[in-house]
């Protein structure tokens, strides 16, 4: 049934586009099982504890090991180094059967709709769906994520090659866009990749490549 009732005392992690700022909201939503990914209606509220994006939420007995996290708030723009002028919302799906640390980032957000589609429509198991979706999203920048850790393990402030890949991905997607302008490509990419895992919008891909090339050549 892809469903294991578990006792989860606490969920912690970091929320990052760049790091979310202190006071931003984080919500953990309980899911019925790993086949339908239907939300039960039960949720647990928390907030970002500092400007590194760290959060900690007290939970309880869950009907299954699957949860959805939702983070909304201002963040530090990793291109400009300044705090954002508007809020964004990022999502993540995770199996907390063997973990209590779940990071929310741009990768967990962009794989979210694709994972739901693979599980509910293609009948894949959550773990396999997440690995496939992660690989497909990183392929946008021609990054081979075959041997990467789970998306919710990655950290833009980390020191591994995987963390560096997430940081690069976050920077290229941000570009010189304002925070409000960022929502448009994120929505388009998630919708475009939902059913086939491929980014077919060549205009968006070209714009990302041109920004990366011009930024690199100008020593930024």
């Amino acid at each position: 049934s892809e469903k294991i009732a578990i006792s989860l005392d606490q969920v912690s992690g970091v929320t990052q586009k760049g790091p979310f700022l202190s006071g931003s909201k984080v919500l953990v939503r309980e899911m019925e099982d790993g086949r339908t990914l239907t939300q039960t209606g039960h949720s647990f509220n928390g907030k970002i504890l500092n400007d590194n994006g760290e959060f900690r939420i007290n939970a309880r007995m869950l009907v299954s090991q699957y949860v959805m996290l939702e983070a909304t708030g201002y963040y530090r723009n990793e291109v400009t180094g300044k705090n954002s002028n508007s809020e964004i919302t990022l999502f993540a799906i995770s199996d907390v059967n063997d973990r209590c640390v779940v990071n929310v980032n741009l990768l967990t957000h962009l794989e979210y709709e694709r994972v739901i589609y693979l599980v509910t429509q293609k009948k894949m198991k959550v773990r396999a769906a997440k690995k496939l979706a992660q690989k497909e999203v990183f392929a946008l920048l021609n990054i081979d994520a075959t041997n990467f850790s789970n998306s919710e393990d990655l950290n833009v402030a980390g020191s591994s090659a995987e963390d560096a890949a997430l940081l690069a991905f976050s920077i290229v997607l941000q570009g010189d866009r304002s925070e409000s302008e960022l929502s448009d490509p994120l929505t388009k990419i998630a919708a475009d990749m939902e059913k086939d895992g491929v980014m077919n919008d060549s205009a968006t891909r070209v714009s990302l490549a041109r920004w990366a090339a011009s930024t690199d050549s100008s020593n930024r």
Side-chain angles (χ1 to χ4, degrees):
S1 66
E2 283 283 288
K3 180 175 180 177
I4 303 173
I6 63 170
S7 177
L8 187 66
D9 294 330
Q10 182 175 278
V11 180
S12 62
V14 291
T15 57
Q16 302 168 327
K17 165 55 185 71
F20 275 46
L21 304 181
S22 177
S24 300
K25 300 176 181 178
V26 182
L27 188 67
V28 176
R29 299 185 186 275
E30 180 185 57
M31 290 183 158
E32 183 65 41
D33 55 50
R35 295 297 185 188
T36 65
L37 297 181
T38 302
Q39 296 179 26
T40 66
H42 294 137
S43 61
F44 312 95
N45 297 299
K47 65 179 181 179
I48 307 300
L49 302 175
N50 51 49
D51 287 344
N52 293 323
E54 297 175 353
F55 69 91
R56 189 165 53 250
I57 298 176
N58 294 325
R60 58 160 176 74
M61 179 65 72
L62 304 175
V63 297
S64 84
Q65 70 269 44
Y66 300 104
V67 296
M68 186 270 274
L69 283 82
E70 176 181 336
T72 300
Y74 297 92
Y75 66 95
R76 189 164 69 251
N77 185 315
E78 60 272 51
V79 175
T80 65
K82 299 178 180 179
N83 294 341
S84 66
N85 293 316
S86 57
E87 295 182 322
I88 62 170
T89 298
L90 298 180
F91 297 102
I93 290 178
S94 186
D95 177 349
V96 292
N97 185 39
D98 55 358
R99 67 163 65 237
C100 60
V101 176
V102 181
N103 295 335
V104 182
N105 51 55
L106 201 58
L107 180 59
T108 66
H109 180 75
L110 289 177
E111 73 179 20
Y112 178 79
E113 297 292 345
R114 177 64 170 155
V115 169
I116 291 178
Y117 178 82
L118 290 172
V119 171
T120 60
Q121 302 301 316
K122 297 301 181 180
K123 310 306 178 185
M124 290 183 66
K125 292 187 175 181
V126 174
R127 183 166 304 202
K130 282 178 60 64
K131 294 302 291 185
L132 176 59
Q134 178 186 27
K135 186 176 180 179
E136 292 168 339
V137 172
F138 266 125
L140 288 173
L141 299 187
N142 291 323
I143 295 174
D144 182 3
T146 301
N147 297 316
F148 279 15
S149 304
N150 290 330
S151 54
E152 59 267 47
D153 291 320
L154 305 186
N155 188 328
V156 297
S159 59
S160 70
E162 303 171 322
D163 296 326
L166 174 62
L167 177 59
F169 196 90
S170 298
I171 288 173
V172 171
L173 265 291
Q174 179 70 58
D176 290 324
R177 298 177 179 86
S178 67
E179 295 78 26
S180 58
E181 291 171 338
L182 177 63
S183 298
D184 182 58
L186 294 186
T187 301
K188 286 183 177 178
I189 291 172
D192 195 347
M193 298 187 66
E194 179 183 2
K195 294 184 178 180
D196 63 4
V198 177
M199 179 61 177
N200 298 304
D201 182 355
S202 60
T204 299
R205 295 196 67 164
V206 168
S207 69
L208 297 177
R210 283 179 175 170
W211 182 86
S214 65
T215 303
D216 185 55
S217 63
S218 61
N219 295 318
R220 286 180 63 191

